[in-house]
Amino acid sequence: MSIKDKLVADMKEAMKARQSDRLTVIRSMRSAIRQAEIDGKVDLDDNGVIGIISKELKMRQDSLREFEKGGRADLVEKTEAEIAVIMPYLPKQLSKDEICTLVKSTIEKTGASTPKDMGKVMKALMPEVKGKADGKLVNDIVREMLN
């Protein structure tokens, strides 16, 4: 079952169970996917859908940090609940140790040695971790290892 099919099935399930918060998040993801398909005039496969869902997750994580800074406990709780709804649709997230291992092997493959080579490393690494790790975290780890 594709991710899009799973979203439709879960949306119907949320409607029947009257889970309005979950339903809102699923509809939001489906809307973002549909908009990307219309804009790109393509039918997204699971990898494309994972990219869109990752963007939705990233937006909520960024909002969460801002809400925490602002002391908005009500919005923090709501955003955490939305993140919990999104996470099952993404592949298992890589741990920091797993990312470090991937970064080391990619640095060896590309022959990178200075911070100037960061672009080469990121270009080779990002397709491997897409949807499985936060790009900012990967960027920070690469920068740290190249310094």
Side-chain angles (χ1 to χ4, degrees):
M1 175 183 277
S2 75
I3 296 173
K4 287 195 289 188
D5 294 338
K6 182 162 175 40
L7 280 167
V8 171
D10 289 350
M11 184 179 74
K12 289 177 185 176
E13 181 184 305
M15 282 179 186
K16 289 177 184 174
R18 299 190 188 277
Q19 299 169 325
S20 62
D21 294 340
R22 183 170 180 242
L23 180 61
T24 301
V25 175
I26 293 172
R27 281 183 172 157
S28 169
M29 287 189 292
R30 289 195 64 228
S31 173
I33 292 165
R34 188 71 190 126
Q35 188 63 49
E37 289 178 333
I38 290 170
D39 291 347
K41 296 182 176 121
V42 294
D43 189 29
L44 294 174
D45 60 353
D46 276 354
N47 286 333
V49 170
I50 287 172
I52 301 298
I53 294 174
S54 294
K55 286 180 188 174
E56 291 287 309
L57 177 66
K58 179 82 170 119
M59 285 185 338
R60 284 170 175 82
Q61 287 172 334
D62 292 344
S63 297
L64 183 64
R65 282 192 278 281
E66 294 301 316
F67 294 149
E68 287 171 344
K69 284 180 191 174
R72 296 292 308 267
D74 56 329
L75 294 176
V76 167
E77 188 178 312
K78 181 179 184 282
T79 306
E80 285 174 342
E82 290 177 359
I83 289 171
V85 171
I86 294 172
M87 290 304 291
Y89 298 100
L90 292 172
K92 180 185 170 292
Q93 298 295 295
L94 297 173
S95 70
K96 189 169 182 174
D97 293 337
E98 292 171 322
I99 296 170
C100 287
T101 305
L102 281 171
V103 169
K104 284 178 188 171
S105 68
T106 305
I107 287 173
E108 289 171 10
K109 285 180 198 170
T110 59
S113 57
T114 66
K116 289 182 181 178
D117 299 327
M118 188 167 171
K120 282 196 287 188
V121 175
M122 291 300 289
K123 184 178 179 182
L125 186 62
M126 286 313 288
E128 291 181 49
V129 300
K130 185 177 182 181
K132 299 177 191 171
D134 179 33
K136 183 169 179 10
L137 176 63
V138 173
N139 188 312
D140 292 342
I141 292 172
V142 170
R143 182 168 288 141
E144 184 181 306
M145 289 189 172
L146 287 176
N147 283 333

